[in-house]
Amino acid sequence: MITAAALHMSNVLRPETKQRSVTLNRVNNGWEPSRRAMLHALAAKQKALYLLRMAFQDLDTHGRDMVLTAAMLLVTADMIDSGKHGSKAHLDGIGWLLSYAQPATSVGEMLKDFVISDCYIFYVFALTFMDQIPQSSLALNATTASSAIHFAARNSFICCHAEILQILWSTAIILQRQSANNDDVGGTAAKGLELFMDAMTFNVEAWSQDIQQVPLGRQVTDISSRIHTGYTHQMACCIYIMYAIPSVRSFLAENTELDLEHGLIFHLHHITDEDPNFKTSFWPTFIAGAQTSDHVQQAWIMDRMRRQSRLFPWGFLYTAMETLELIWRERAKAPNGLNWLEILRNPEVTFLIV
């Protein structure tokens, strides 16, 4: 916890790009508070790693589940800190940890359940942009993952329906297999279309009202907020499928992509800074930014992500903004269109957003 707090403080204290001075001395002075916070974070992380190593050597005393939860917290803090560099290794690590973790339902296991739930959803969102599916995904067999994702969707602070998370998981797996084997184009298109239609026909408004099993205070229960948030994840998921499996486009109406883009932006506008779900809309906000070619909308998306980063100073948000700027630059060079997902899956573009 101390490590994560110090990392967040380091991000908060980063000088704004527009305010950075040209002179070297002033740049150093401007970064000094952030650098000090980073040093505190690294020191806390080193101590946490030492304590975790000691705990693994005495599982009987500390408890297997408690040590596993602590390990997931530490890996998650590292993963969301930057969204790049070692994020793939951290993602794979979380996958292996999840394969050993079994969600519980007793009140005494609440912390563990919340941590596992958040990790599952982080894992699914992160898979969507990976150039290679982590080996750990093989350890999470379909049956276990399906039930765990439903459990996670109820217990995570991220307000996203389990059905959409499962569709994202399945699409990411198909995308990986599609890259490895181009022989079954027709079969891939059929599977992609099935996933697309499952996402499009999902009843968001019925889901938004199903709050009986949501732990009190863990997830937003305001119906209007849940409706808008649900639609953003649904529409972002559909757009993602169209780029992950482009062959589905031949089965869809010509204006489908544009309608989804406009709908996504519309619902994001209704999730204001004061809405608790503002902090759960990172992934659909990024999809909207990657999708739009409109300079006004791009500016609005970038401003929204800056506001999110001030409220929730997770390092991956800064990486996401840098990555959007990369996509927009590449789009300017491609007058005939651009598959932004191919940029994200480039091994040289190590990127993760949850």
Side-chain angles (χ1 to χ4, degrees):
M1 292 296 186
I2 295 173
T3 302
L7 287 171
H8 294 344
M9 183 58 69
S10 176
N11 289 327
V12 168
L13 295 173
R14 289 171 54 164
E16 289 284 346
T17 303
K18 295 178 181 178
Q19 298 174 353
R20 291 176 192 165
S21 174
V22 177
T23 64
L24 182 61
N25 288 336
R26 290 189 179 181
V27 168
N28 287 338
N29 290 337
W31 279 95
E32 185 59 26
S34 176
R35 191 182 72 85
R36 283 200 305 269
M38 178 59 72
L39 290 175
H40 286 304
L42 292 174
K45 178 181 174 182
Q46 192 66 28
K47 184 174 182 180
L49 288 171
Y50 171 77
L51 293 173
L52 190 60
R53 192 180 304 116
M54 295 298 100
F56 271 115
Q57 294 175 5
D58 191 8
L59 289 175
D60 291 338
T61 299
H62 299 285
R64 177 181 177 276
D65 285 349
M66 184 60 69
V67 175
L68 190 61
T69 302
M72 282 193 283
L73 275 171
L74 193 58
V75 175
T76 302
D78 249 14
M79 185 176 73
I80 68 176
D81 172 51
S82 71
K84 54 184 176 181
H85 303 311
S87 58
K88 290 183 181 179
H90 289 113
L91 181 66
D92 202 24
I94 282 183
W96 288 115
L97 290 171
L98 288 173
S99 70
Y100 290 105
Q102 295 298 322
T105 55
S106 64
V107 175
E109 299 287 340
M110 189 176 293
L111 173 61
K112 173 193 165 190
D113 288 350
F114 288 167
V115 171
I116 291 175
S117 297
D118 291 344
C119 283
Y120 254 107
I121 296 183
F122 290 167
Y123 191 80
V124 173
F125 281 142
L127 283 181
T128 57
F129 300 144
M130 290 286 104
D131 62 307
Q132 292 184 340
I133 297 298
Q135 287 296 312
S136 58
S137 66
L138 302 176
L140 296 167
N141 66 72
T143 303
T144 303
S146 176
S147 60
I149 286 173
H150 274 82
F151 179 88
R154 290 194 306 271
N155 288 275
S156 174
F157 76 95
I158 298 176
C159 200
C160 182
H161 15 82
E163 288 77 4
I164 293 298
L165 290 168
Q166 286 189 286
I167 290 170
L168 288 174
W169 177 296
S170 299
T171 305
I173 298 298
I174 289 175
L175 176 59
Q176 176 64 24
R177 291 172 180 167
Q178 177 181 252
S179 302
N181 181 12
N182 294 319
D183 295 337
D184 189 18
V185 177
T188 299
K191 291 176 184 175
L193 180 62
E194 181 181 356
L195 290 169
F196 183 91
M197 296 309 299
D198 285 346
M200 280 289 287
T201 57
F202 179 74
N203 192 332
V204 172
E205 300 202 12
W207 163 83
S208 69
Q209 298 177 51
D210 184 18
I211 58 176
Q212 289 78 15
Q213 294 183 323
V214 175
L216 184 64
R218 179 59 174 166
Q219 200 175 95
V220 178
T221 54
D222 177 77
I223 303 302
S224 176
S225 175
R226 288 173 64 85
I227 287 174
H228 288 300
T229 303
Y231 276 124
T232 63
H233 283 107
Q234 179 193 49
M235 293 176 179
C237 175
C238 290
I239 291 172
Y240 170 73
I241 293 171
M242 293 180 72
Y243 280 84
I245 312 173
S247 52
V248 304
R249 293 170 178 269
S250 61
F251 300 98
L252 304 175
E254 185 177 352
N255 61 342
T256 300
E257 184 176 354
L258 190 60
D259 288 345
L260 287 169
E261 179 184 329
H262 289 168
L264 176 55
I265 294 289
F266 171 82
H267 288 289
L268 282 174
H269 271 283
H270 282 79
I271 305 172
T272 64
D273 300 38
E274 294 75 26
D275 190 323
N277 270 326
F278 189 65
K279 70 178 184 293
T280 74
S281 60
F282 302 134
W283 192 83
T285 298
F286 180 85
I287 294 291
Q291 176 67 20
T292 185
S293 300
D294 185 288
H295 294 304
V296 174
Q297 296 294 358
Q298 289 176 354
W300 180 80
I301 291 290
M302 189 59 70
D303 182 63
R304 178 185 178 88
M305 296 192 82
R306 288 195 185 100
R307 300 197 313 272
Q308 287 177 323
S309 69
R310 285 194 289 268
L311 289 172
F312 314 101
W314 293 349
F316 73 79
L317 282 171
Y318 297 91
T319 303
M321 288 186 278
E322 294 170 3
T323 307
L324 280 181
E325 290 175 340
L326 169 64
I327 291 173
W328 296 338
R329 287 195 302 270
E330 292 300 315
R331 179 176 283 127
K333 303 175 189 176
N336 296 324
L338 175 78
N339 186 330
W340 46 262
L341 185 56
E342 291 181 0
I343 294 177
L344 298 178
R345 297 185 72 245
N346 185 328
E348 296 181 3
V349 182
T350 307
F351 172 72
L352 175 148
I353 188 169
V354 296

